[in-house]
Amino acid sequence: MANEIKLVTYANSEVTPQNDAVLTDLEILGNGIIFGCEVTIKNASTLHINSGMGVIYGREFEIVDSDIPVSLSSSGTLLGQLYIHIDLANTSEPAQLLVDTGNSLTPLVDDPMINITTGITEYQLATFNVSTATLSDLVVTATEVEGIQEATEAEIIALE
């Protein structure tokens, strides 16, 4: 009879990124920023994000201090969003920082089963307005994550 169970955390066993993400997702309350990742408007057509780390459904990410160019509107004012796109099937670039602008914001994909389905999920960092001349009205939408050890007793009871 073949062995139908494997002990993952054991000597000479392999802990995969999926194993790690599934467990981390249980330990972290929600998605968000661990530290850093502050988004600001650098100039008329550039956002800036500071280096930092975060987690989305147990998948830890790092952001390098970066300038993000945004195309200005050809006429009128558009809405914009800066977000993280994770595609676990994209082996060459599984995580990307993307900008979306338009008359309305494209709804983001939110797949809490990403670690099981090897799917796609997205997480918004900030929204802003885009005119013909400048970026404005930046609102940071990302939140800091809270670990289970930081949760209040009421939050822990709610999880049970």
Side-chain angles (χ1 to χ4, degrees):
M1 179 176 189
N3 193 354
E4 297 177 6
I5 185 169
K6 173 187 166 191
L7 188 58
V8 174
T9 51
Y10 187 74
N12 298 318
S13 288
E14 178 186 1
V15 178
T16 67
Q18 180 187 26
N19 297 134
D20 188 53
V22 167
L23 194 56
T24 300
D25 193 28
L26 292 173
E27 297 170 341
I28 302 292
L29 299 177
N31 301 322
I33 305 303
I34 297 170
F35 71 88
C37 304
E38 295 93 7
V39 180
T40 57
I41 295 174
K42 180 176 181 176
N43 61 38
S45 63
T46 308
L47 296 173
H48 181 80
I49 189 164
N50 290 343
S51 61
M53 296 177 76
V55 64
I56 299 171
Y57 294 119
R59 297 287 174 158
E60 185 179 342
F61 63 85
E62 273 186 62
I63 292 180
V64 177
D65 198 67
S66 303
D67 290 334
I68 301 140
V70 178
S71 298
L72 295 177
S73 172
S74 57
S75 67
T77 300
L78 301 175
L79 301 173
Q81 64 182 340
L82 174 66
Y83 65 99
I84 296 169
H85 173 83
I86 296 176
D87 180 353
L88 296 179
N90 182 344
T91 56
S92 63
E93 201 171 12
Q96 298 173 307
L97 271 178
L98 298 177
V99 171
D100 170 48
T101 61
N103 290 322
S104 62
L105 297 177
T106 304
L108 299 180
V109 175
D110 182 18
D111 181 6
M113 298 301 291
I114 187 171
N115 294 313
I116 308 304
T117 63
T118 310
I120 294 172
T121 201
E122 296 167 325
Y123 182 76
Q124 188 181 74
L125 297 170
T127 61
F128 50 92
N129 288 334
V130 184
S131 73
T132 58
T134 193
L135 305 175
S136 64
D137 301 321
L138 178 75
V139 175
V140 174
T141 56
T143 58
E144 289 187 14
V145 294
E146 187 174 332
I148 194 95
Q149 69 277 11
E150 299 169 2
T152 66
E153 185 176 331
E155 291 170 323
I156 292 170
I157 290 169
L159 291 174
E160 295 177 340

